[in-house]
Amino acid sequence: MCEDVENLARIAALETEVAQLRHAITAHATVDQAMGVVIACSGATPETAWEILRDVSQHTNIRLREIAEHIRQWPHCERLPEEVRHALDAAVRARCVSAPAAGV
């Protein structure tokens, strides 16, 4: 009987871990796609695109995954929440203007 309870607890823990891993994979893909949008719109490098997303998240106090989802959908809906748009504009200006030009 005790072994059955241990097995059920182990199964429940594994199911929770699988759900968390699935969520992480989805979140990672969303962030990667948002980085692609930032790169396409600003010419930023992948590292700079990541920093821009992080900056926008920190300056708006919105979770990075939610920022990434807004930016990922932006080309389709052609609209960003105003707070996100302003923070994105500021982050791109700060990160892309101060970054050294390629080949210099």
Side-chain angles (χ1 to χ4, degrees), residues 5-78:
V5 172
E6 288 177 11
N7 286 338
L8 288 175
R10 198 174 317 152
I11 289 169
L14 289 172
E15 287 174 341
T16 299
E17 184 178 357
V18 167
Q20 290 170 343
L21 290 171
R22 285 184 177 148
H23 179 71
I25 288 169
T26 301
H28 193 297
T30 299
V31 170
D32 283 348
Q33 292 168 10
M35 286 173 56
V37 172
V38 171
I39 291 166
C41 292
S42 69
T45 65
E47 287 109 15
T48 301
W50 165 253
E51 292 167 355
I52 288 168
L53 291 178
R54 190 187 64 215
D55 289 351
V56 172
S57 175
Q58 289 175 348
H59 288 98
T60 59
N61 200 29
I62 299 173
R63 294 178 147 231
L64 188 113
R65 186 189 184 292
E66 189 176 338
I67 293 296
E69 187 62 33
H70 284 301
I71 292 173
R72 187 185 71 81
Q73 291 180 10
W74 178 30
H76 300 291
C77 65
E78 298 178 4

